[in-house]
């Protein structure tokens, strides 16, 4: 979302909702509905095509904080867990437990690499089936011991390789979603960079789903879409404008529950500030859904995803 | 430190004829035999020469699979909306209207209650002819309603996917049809009803990564491609040399992803048997 | 158990228990306790060393019925299920559903091959981790739909290969036992041939566990034991006599709940008769444990295994 | 038809020194450095030259790991019986008596309540010096009682196995210790308590195929062998060429079977951290 738009909307919503709207505070629940109503009333576009493309670029910025950068800033006593107990430990997915605002949580996220060697090691954040299986193991551990689950999403997509296909990429992504739909603990997800396709949604079946302000969340990469529809990957800008993968549109469409403001210029400018914003949002989200009982919470989570989609 | 995940693969490949160029839809792509429409129909769209399974339209499949007169369509009026006002070379709304005209279907799936060999069940049958069987809001909603109906009547749901994946013209809402169908299956299971899945050619992308791979029992038709990423994407991006039977039903069977590869002629008795076994489960 | 011993014991128990004891009827429940009491009173050996070795040979007899031979004779509408949904379908394990005395059950068993090609294909009934994972999938399916589970055990042991180790043989066997300990449906297991070590016990955590009369159930193969203790695999006869892997001793030790009589000369002589005996035993066992509620049944199953072992 | 299961393997191997022949127990098998007993104890039995982890006796490990004075042993009087009257070159009862004399232990495991960094927990620590850490009735019963105690006090159980596998002198009842320990862990979990496992060298056979691989979190000491079948059995039976680090902690980590390889010096703070994180879970 562009700075100006955002400020305007936040200011209006502040008046409407009569609630403090500080930077680093997500727009959730009632506010979200108000925001959508407001936008529909005004019939103004959420983000321009240039603003969307700016977010695509920032979402992929190589200095953007990645999952472990947030872990470092948000969790104490972090213990990373490894391995799918079957054949591999996939470095494109990190999972572990740690203390978050005084309580133990489990955290799972895609992990990109910073330098060339780490990028290759992390497979650019593109998980194999083994990564999703590791994630499911830690999700079940969280559920067994009542730890709220936080997921951070940042992947161009699940890895489209031969071994990944042979080891059941599709089925593993499907089962990862099913596992999240089954959990009885509070769950909160945030797309922190690229939310690419099935590889992203595998971690996104949460009670509350957020996006960082300049994150993108999309059914296919802009380049992939351009390749198919315009037969030219270079038309990615056009494809992005058509698909609208930016946080503002995802919020408008009811796909996410709120947007986490980034520091001026983007999360890459100030990791600490970005982490603080994210942490506040996640803390409130967990507290909010924790007021429900486990069965009620799970039913609400399922009902939310059951209702998604536009039909006539 | 900079080690990558072990990606040891199965390297053997089985011969599978590659599809040829442009051809008449009634010409077998595997052996070149040509058939009249009524011949194909009488052979349930299986090549009598070589056993190749032609694509089967949703209504044809239902008419063949369900006991005569038993099928009662549901959610027939559900249509995909155009949440993004999507426009590429032409408007998405035009594409939908055109597909509806061409196929006589409201979208790429037909759902309803039926009986097979007198066992009641719910059917959710996809049609690749409708925008490549892509999954948008209508497919997701109708699949979910099929889950609801099966759960309500405590009957099994038989899902027969055929899809190129999520429908990108609906953007992120198309992606959300994945968790939508997944949670619908969770509720189906909570009600005690099973899901049987019959993979048909081709089934890829978001459908494989959601409802197509969550069957309690899953079979595929011979030669059916079933993969998350299609072979062109895999070889294009990774430059890997793919086995000839990459993603085909036969290799998926060998690799443990499906319970059986079933020639179309065996499908009806197989499903009837499953329905008997799960009746009153 | 030798023919003479068996007839003597059955005749005595028939009088004691005042119950019909026909061939093909397993000795279970109260009768089992009576039998053990009787044996302890009399202080007579259950089986001689030659009788034990005879069972070792019959348990491995190449014309002995295997799992699918029993399936053919005991189940209608059999549907074999395949694959672990991750990387393979292990032919050393068969799993499926079918109708057993008018009701749907799930059945899982080790499968040996009859001719050389099939023996190699089935890996001599020695499962890889993928086989145990397939089994767990079908166990969970049975539990989801309330199908009683029958397991047939017939393996020299889990396969001790490099790939099997790399893919987590130990952990998979452990998780298979844990899965069986978690099931809420009635479960009945029978060692139909060789019950070799961890590979066998993976399928044996059942409400009722039986052995065919000439089956063996052991912690290590007689040859393996001989190799370690006598440094000579040829001393297997001696090792078998010391380990007492025969059904009579396993019953005495409280490890199994009953013995299924075999046709005169052994199961290989008459497959139909062996299958009939086994079927009757399993039918009664399922009916017996079905009278309990799911939680009570599971608690009783766990308590049974919790109590096993000899301590002073 | 006659295809075998795909057994594609990871083929890389890492260098790991092979154990030499007969040597003094205080001589490092990896680099040959020799230490006095008090030197080794001061270094928690880790070679100061090369980092090799010597075996650690159960009581030494508990004394080092538990807060001073916090350990209260349980089930100390449990002994294995001789259910088969087993006799090979000598009587099993003699072997047990001899092992007890030599080790000062009742069997190959010591269990009891303790605290680490002031967090309460239950410990179950094995000792390889007692008949190769083999699991018979006493080991199974004492491990199960440790589960019971942890469940009762709602504290985590820390299990530190070291075992050659099931104790064959107890025959089929030794095998039954596998499901026995497994059901005890199920009850531990039902009570809400976690199981943390620290694999030490060597841990093989029935212990790997039961309680050692069911930890909620599982770590291993560097170089620890952890496999179901030992390397000699695998290469002897299958004639396969084994990677140098076959079954070692490092390869098990790479292959996804454990959460971490932890040098002994890091173990105490790691466990203390886990205990804090799971406190009041
Ligand atoms: Zn043809
Ligand atoms: Zn050294």
């Amino acid at each position: 979302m562009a700075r100006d738009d955002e400020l305007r909307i936040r200011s209006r919503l502040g008046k409407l909702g009569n609630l403090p709207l500080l930077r680093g505070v997500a727009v959730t629940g009632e506010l979200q509905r108000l925001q959508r109503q407001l936008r529909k009333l005004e019939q103004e576009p959420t983000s321009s095509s240039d603003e969307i493309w700016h977010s695509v670029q920032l979402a992929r910025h190589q200095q953007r904080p990645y999952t472990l950068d947030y872990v470092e800033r948000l969790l104490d006593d972090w213990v990373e867990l490894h391995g799918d107990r079957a054949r591999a430990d996939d470095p494109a997915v990190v999972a572990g437990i740690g203390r978050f605002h005084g309580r133990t949580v489990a955290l799972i996220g895609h992990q990109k690499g910073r330098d060339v060697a780490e990028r290759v090691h992390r497979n650019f954040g593109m998980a194999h089936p083994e990564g999703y299986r590791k994630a499911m193991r830690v999700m079940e551990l969280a559920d067994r011991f009542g730890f709220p689950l936080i997921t951070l999403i940042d992947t161009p997509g699940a890895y489209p390789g031969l071994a990944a296909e042979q080891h059941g990429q599709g089925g593993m992504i499907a089962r990862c979603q099913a596992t999240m739909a089954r959990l009885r603990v509070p769950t909160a997800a945030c797309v922190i960079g690229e939310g690419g396709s099935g590889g992203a949604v595998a971690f996104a079946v949460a009670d509350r789903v957020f996006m960082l302000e300049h994150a993108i969340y999309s059914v296919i990469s802009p380049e992939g879409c351009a390749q198919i529809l315009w037969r030219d990957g270079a038309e990615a800008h056009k494809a992005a404008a058509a698909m609208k993968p930016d946080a503002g549109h995802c919020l408008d469409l009811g796909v996410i529950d709120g947007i986490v403001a980034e520091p001026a210029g983007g999360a890459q400018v100030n990791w600490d500030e970005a982490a603080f914003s994210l942490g506040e949002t996640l803390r409130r989200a967990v507290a909010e859904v924790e007021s429900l009982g486990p069965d009620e919470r799970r039913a609400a989570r399922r009902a939310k995803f059951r209702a998604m989609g536009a039909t006539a | 430190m900079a080690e990558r995940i072990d990606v040891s693969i199965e390297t053997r490949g089985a011969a599978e004829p590659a599809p040829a160029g442009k051809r008449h839809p009634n010409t077998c792509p595997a052996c070149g035999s040509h058939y009249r429409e009524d011949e194909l129909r009488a052979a349930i769209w299986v090549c009598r020469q070589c056993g190749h399974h032609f694509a089967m339209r949703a209504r044809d499949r239902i008419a063949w699979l369900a006991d005569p007169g038993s099928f009662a369509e549901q959610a027939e009026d559900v249509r995909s909306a155009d949440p993004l006002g999507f426009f590429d070379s032409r408007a998405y709304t035009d594409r939908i209207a055109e597909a509806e005209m061409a196929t006589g279907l409201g979208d790429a799936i037909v759902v309803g209650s039926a009986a097979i060999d007198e066992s009641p069940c719910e059917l959710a049958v996809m049609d690749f002819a409708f925008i490549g069987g892509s999954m948008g809001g209508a497919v997701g909603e109708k699949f979910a309603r099929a889950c609801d109906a099966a759960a309500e009547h405590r009957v099994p749901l038989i899902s027969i996917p055929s899809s190129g994946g999520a429908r990108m013209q609906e953007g992120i809402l198309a992606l959300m049809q994945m968790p939508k169908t997944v949670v619908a299956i969770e509720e189906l299971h909570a009600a005690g009803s099973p899901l049987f899945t019959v993979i048909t050619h081709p089934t890829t992308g978001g459908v494989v990564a959601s409802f197509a791979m969550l069957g309690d029992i899953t079979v595929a038709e011979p030669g059916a491609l079933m993969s998350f990423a299609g072979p062109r994407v895999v070889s294009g991006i990774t430059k890997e040399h793919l086995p000839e039977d990459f993603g085909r039903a036969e290799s998926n069977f060998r690799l443990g992803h499906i319970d059986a590869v079933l020639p179309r002629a065996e499908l009806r008795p197989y499903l009837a048997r499953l329905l008997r076994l799960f009746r009153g489960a």
Side-chain angles (χ1 to χ4, degrees), chain B residues 63-200:
Chain B
W64 163 69
L65 202 55
D67 292 349
S70 71
F71 184 69
E73 188 165 350
Q74 294 158 345
E76 207 180 338
D77 55 328
V78 174
R79 295 288 182 280
S80 263
D82 178 21
L84 302 178
F86 199 93
F87 189 97
D88 49 280
S89 52
R90 64 188 191 289
Y92 173 46
T93 47
D94 292 348
R95 276 190 199 272
I96 297 181
E98 190 181 284
E100 183 161 351
M101 296 274 286
T103 63
L105 297 174
D107 211 301
I109 196 169
V110 178
V111 308
S113 64
I116 296 178
D117 220 4
E118 299 181 12
S119 292
C121 63
E122 177 79 13
L123 293 178
V125 181
M126 294 190 75
D127 195 315
F128 197 78
F130 194 105
I131 316 186
S134 56
M135 175 164 68
V139 168
E141 178 64 22
K142 289 173 83 171
F143 181 86
R145 289 214 202 156
C147 290
D148 296 347
E152 188 191 337
H153 300 107
R154 300 185 152 276
V155 298
L157 170 58
I158 296 173
S159 159
I160 309 188
S162 178
S163 173
R167 189 176 293 167
M168 74 187 114
Q169 291 89 348
E170 294 183 31
I172 191 69
L173 283 174
L175 190 70
M176 290 303 113
Q177 303 313 300
M178 293 171 61
K180 175 172 182 157
T181 58
V182 169
V183 301
I185 292 168
E186 287 299 304
E187 295 291 325
L188 176 80
H189 278 148
S193 285
L195 170 63
F196 307 139
T197 302
V198 181
I199 304 286
T200 68

Side-chain angles (χ1 to χ4, degrees), chain B residues 32-65:
Chain B
S33 303
H34 186 79
Y35 299 95
R36 292 196 316 272
E37 187 69 23
D38 62 326
E39 287 176 326
L40 269 183
R41 178 176 300 269
I44 44 172
W45 290 270
V46 176
C47 176
R48 291 211 188 275
Q49 280 306 116
C50 75
H52 171 77
H53 283 52
F54 287 79
M56 208 167 162
R57 300 294 308 276
R59 293 207 191 283
D60 289 333
R61 173 147 341 237
I62 290 167
W64 163 69
L65 202 55

Side-chain angles (χ1 to χ4, degrees), chain A residues 87 120-121 123 128 159-160 162-163 165-167 170 174 177 182 217 228 244 302 306 308-312, chain B residues 1 3-4 6-10 79 81 84 148 168 176-177 179-180 186-187 209 227-229 234 240 257:
Chain A
R87 55 170 289 117
V120 170
H121 172 61
N123 202 28
H128 280 74
Y159 187 63
L162 174 55
E165 290 294 335
Q166 290 196 343
H167 300 172
Q177 295 170 72
R182 241 169 256 163
Y217 193 12
I228 293 170
K244 305 182 175 66
R302 291 182 182 179
R306 175 68 177 75
M308 283 190 192
T311 56
Chain B
M1 167 59 201
E3 270 179 76
R4 299 179 69 186
D6 168 45
V7 288
S8 60
I9 51 169
E10 195 203 43
R79 295 288 182 280
L84 302 178
D148 296 347
M168 74 187 114
M176 290 303 113
Q177 303 313 300
K180 175 172 182 157
E186 287 299 304
E187 295 291 325
S227 64
F228 178 58
V234 174
E240 290 172 300
H257 302 308

Side-chain angles (χ1 to χ4, degrees), chain A residues 32 36 191 209-211 217 246-259 304 308:
Chain A
Q32 164 200 341
R36 263 181 298 188
V191 186
V209 181
F210 303 95
M211 288 174 73
Y217 193 12
D246 59 295
H249 278 104
C250 287
L251 185 65
D252 280 354
L253 293 167
V255 167
I256 60 171
D257 301 288
I259 297 172
K304 180 175 83 157
M308 283 190 192

